[in-house]
Amino acid sequence: MTVPTAETVAEHLAALIRIPTVTPKDAGPHDEATAATFAALEETMRSFYPRVFGHEVEAVGRAGLLVRIPGAAADRPVVLMAHQDVVPVPRDWEAEGWEHEPFEGAIVDGWVFGRGALDDKGALTVMLEAAESLLGEGWTPAHDLYLLMGADEESYGDCATTAATLLSSRGVTPWMVLDEGGAVAVGAFPGLSGEAAVIGVSEKGIVDLRLTVEGLGGHASTPPRESAPGILARALARIEDNPHPSEVNDVSVEMLELVAGRLRGPLGALLRRASSLRGVLARVMPRLSPELAAMVRTTVAITQLEGSPAHNVLATRATAVLNIRVAVGSSVEEAVDHVRRVVHDPRVTIEVESPSEPSPVSPRGDDARWAALMESVGTSYPDALTIPYVMLAASDSRFLAPMSGATYRFAPLRMTKPQREAVHGPNEKVEVESLGRGVAFYRALLTSDRLA
């Protein structure tokens, strides 16, 4: 069996995009239509990758799949992850600005368009293509290889937690985990030309807070001096006016100093001294952009608001949901305590929902796993600068990270700034040529002497 061409990979990805595996809305069982959709995706993957699915396949969660490919040794197992589900698409997708129907899987001018092209069916496809082609050549992994394909990552479902529990119950301790997260980014840093392979070595924690204020209700013609929404609004304003303290962590310092090596002028000179200028950077970075602010502090986003059911009825209850991303080096407890101190109003009750602590920081430097990743990037994207970073979003890998020796977050696909902005938005697309490079990355990683 030969290595698949980028065009073949693109055709397979397009076929997977055409199966609209929209993430479940809640943690309950799948309805018949949803179950049938995920079953159709599994059937299609089995037809494309018979050697991969010819191994031991187990269901995890509602539609997650865990494939074990036995290696020459059972110790130091490697887990590669990608998820099957995608975020929903608005009914008026044309008004949102899509050039092609989101689930058409159109291949036009060297690009594959569609929901999931980048998040995360693109990575899922190149991972499976690499394993399938190697198995076709008679390859056996040096150590047990697990492919974990979640089906509810976008809705914080239980596929990954179920898989983690299952592996733990069998005494399987992953030596290395690789999931989505970073990418081969273009235009990721001011002044940096060319590509940067940005690999997440940790990720921020996540917790939701539900703020509630009770009111008396009544007719809107006789409003009280202080209403439930008004009290809640003042609390939310205080939260936005008093952000969490900022601090530049060790991973960010390492990232900035590596980027500085390719920068000229004052910015390069500044970043080369990042380690000794942490305090200055902590004050300056939040002023430059929301992305840089998120790199150096715990962030709070007000995502949902609810009040009266009618325009002329006073609210008997006003609620807001805060989505908090907890900085590495901090904790859920510290993040919640900060909000409580800032709100400082007993009329506002604060409930903690779905807490998840920041992930451990994985090894870099001369560690064999990091070296394998760098060499695999060098094989597939020879001009890219490989740098570590703290992932700002949340991935399924956070459930395996506490039990893993090293957990990394990287999809070997090129992403420009417009592409990154299209994730969860209109015109999500991936370059066909980059799909071929993604397969090359996974093949190099799976056959690396570093992992032997």
Side-chain angles (χ1 to χ4, degrees), residues 348-388:
V348 182
T349 62
I350 300 176
E351 299 175 79
V352 178
E353 300 178 353
S354 306
S356 178
E357 297 290 350
S359 298
V361 178
S362 294
R364 287 98 60 212
D366 59 0
D367 185 90
R369 292 155 293 193
W370 179 253
L373 290 171
M374 291 188 66
E375 291 168 2
S376 300
V377 169
T379 297
S380 50
Y381 295 89
D383 297 327
L385 171 68
T386 301
I387 54 176

Side-chain angles (χ1 to χ4, degrees), residues 161-339:
T161 56
T162 301
T165 301
L166 181 65
L167 292 174
S168 179
S169 71
R170 295 174 178 171
V172 176
T173 302
W175 185 62
M176 175 181 176
V177 174
L178 179 62
D179 195 7
E180 65 169 338
V184 180
V186 179
F189 299 92
L192 178 64
S193 60
E195 301 168 340
V198 186
I199 301 177
V201 298
S202 179
E203 65 183 60
K204 298 177 82 170
I206 183 170
V207 62
D208 290 330
L209 297 186
R210 185 174 299 274
L211 277 58
T212 303
V213 178
E214 303 288 348
L216 294 176
H219 199 284
S221 61
T222 55
R225 186 175 65 84
E226 288 188 296
S227 65
I231 294 169
L232 180 61
R234 284 188 287 277
L236 297 177
R238 288 195 294 274
I239 291 169
E240 289 198 334
D241 290 342
N242 295 275
H244 286 71
S246 58
E247 182 179 0
V248 182
N249 58 51
D250 291 344
V251 175
S252 295
V253 166
E254 185 177 344
M255 176 190 71
L256 294 172
E257 291 181 342
L258 284 169
V259 169
R262 291 201 180 183
L263 299 180
R264 296 180 179 179
L267 181 59
L270 173 67
L271 296 185
R272 278 189 286 274
R273 299 172 56 204
S275 181
S276 60
L277 295 175
R278 292 177 190 246
V280 174
L281 292 171
R283 292 192 297 272
V284 172
M285 290 173 66
R287 302 176 185 176
L288 299 179
S289 73
E291 291 81 7
L292 291 177
M295 285 177 57
V296 297
R297 65 159 50 116
T298 294
T299 58
V300 180
I302 304 167
T303 55
Q304 293 179 303
L305 293 170
E306 186 176 356
S308 169
H311 69 275
N312 60 347
V313 175
L314 296 175
T316 57
R317 170 178 293 186
T319 63
V321 174
L322 313 180
N323 183 259
I324 300 180
R325 304 301 170 109
V326 184
V328 170
S330 183
S331 66
V332 169
E333 183 180 7
E334 288 181 355
V336 175
D337 285 347
H338 176 87
V339 172

